Amino acid sequence: MEERGILIVVSGFSGAGKGTIMKRLLEKYGSDYALSISATTRDPRPGERNGREYFFRSVEEFEKMIAEEELIEYARYVENYYGTPRSYVEEKLAEGKDVILEIEIQGALKVKEKFPDTLLLFVTPPSTEELRNRLTGRGTETEEVIESRMRRASEEAKFMDRYDYLIINDVLENCVEEMHQIIRGEHRRSYRNTDFIEYMKKELKGE
């Protein structure tokens, strides 16, 4: 019986290390996963390629995708649209890949509404002190930006209990392993295996 992939949404505070975890997860277990590629109306940056970092679309093309319900979720940030194309996700799930969307909380909750089977994972450092240290340690953010990220984290924390699992990013390798095991375990949830359960019942009845 061909096993269908699971749709997984990963969110977390800025500075929690989502990107680093995703990169390592794909390095270790790449054949199991597909990282969803977003569509956007922003211009490509130097070195970015259509279909690799993003699907680059014009505003007209993007609005047509919205109208024709070709996006799982979308949002507008600073004059540009970003969204998750449905066809790419469906194709990868059908191939048996677990598809990971790395998106912010509002988008994550929209996906869960449309697709109740979605697995929601929230990445957090072990403490607020560690979160501040990581934001400071980047060395690229002004104190003002760090404060605004901390305020945003305070708002985002209100939604942590809407997620299925918390991933506490303390030691990277442990965190990656834990995320992989949670996803593997999710495949064995009974409600994801109704066909197999029916097959077993029939076999045992001698049908």
Side-chain angles (χ1 to χ4, degrees):
M1 225 173 286
E2 189 58 41
E3 191 171 20
R4 189 174 161 78
I6 292 174
L7 184 57
I8 302 146
V9 172
V10 176
S11 310
F13 306 126
S14 174
K18 299 182 295 295
T20 310
I21 295 168
M22 294 299 98
K23 188 166 179 277
R24 188 69 186 120
L25 186 73
L26 292 169
E27 279 170 7
K28 280 185 87 171
Y29 302 109
S31 58
D32 294 340
Y33 299 106
L35 197 57
S36 173
I37 301 169
S38 295
T40 183
T41 55
R42 79 158 170 75
D43 293 331
R45 292 183 184 137
E48 287 184 335
R49 254 202 349 249
N50 185 46
R52 188 179 64 186
E53 284 79 16
Y54 286 95
F55 296 114
F56 293 100
R57 297 289 180 264
S58 68
V59 172
E60 291 74 21
E61 287 170 332
F62 199 101
E63 287 177 347
K64 187 166 182 272
M65 290 171 85
I66 295 170
E68 295 181 2
E69 299 197 343
E70 291 175 14
L71 296 164
I72 288 175
E73 57 79 40
Y74 70 92
R76 196 165 185 168
Y77 299 109
V78 200
E79 300 308 305
N80 286 307
Y81 283 118
Y82 293 83
T84 305
R86 186 187 294 264
S87 57
Y88 178 84
V89 170
E90 287 289 354
E91 185 186 305
K92 295 295 172 192
L93 290 173
E95 285 172 15
K97 297 258 190 193
D98 293 329
V99 179
I100 301 175
L101 313 185
E102 192 191 316
I103 55 179
E104 45 72 51
I105 291 166
Q106 300 310 326
L109 299 179
K110 279 185 205 165
V111 173
K112 184 79 170 178
E113 265 174 40
K114 276 192 190 171
F115 301 91
D117 286 356
T118 302
L119 175 64
L120 296 184
L121 305 177
F122 193 94
V123 177
T124 173
S127 67
T128 51
E129 186 186 3
E130 180 59 22
L131 179 61
R132 184 179 285 279
N133 289 344
R134 287 182 193 178
L135 288 169
T136 309
R138 283 175 171 180
T140 53
E141 319 287 16
T142 64
E143 189 55 42
E144 195 182 342
V145 169
I146 291 166
E147 285 311 318
S148 95
R149 296 243 159 113
M150 292 299 288
R151 280 195 301 276
R152 185 172 174 190
S154 171
E155 284 303 305
E156 290 172 335
K158 294 172 186 171
F159 298 94
M160 287 169 81
D161 60 1
R162 302 278 295 276
Y163 281 70
D164 298 305
Y165 292 91
L166 290 180
I167 306 288
I168 296 172
N169 185 13
D170 194 357
V171 178
L172 178 66
E173 287 302 315
N174 296 353
C175 179
V176 167
E177 201 50 43
E178 182 182 26
M179 186 180 278
H180 180 64
Q181 292 308 328
I182 285 170
I183 295 164
R184 296 321 308 149
E186 194 65 19
H187 275 273
R188 300 278 73 84
R189 290 280 284 266
S190 55
Y191 82 87
R192 294 188 191 276
N193 291 277
T194 49
D195 288 351
F196 178 75
I197 290 168
E198 285 312 308
Y199 157 78
M200 288 299 285
K201 283 178 182 173
K202 280 181 179 169
E203 287 283 300
L204 290 164
K205 270 186 189 169
E207 287 178 13

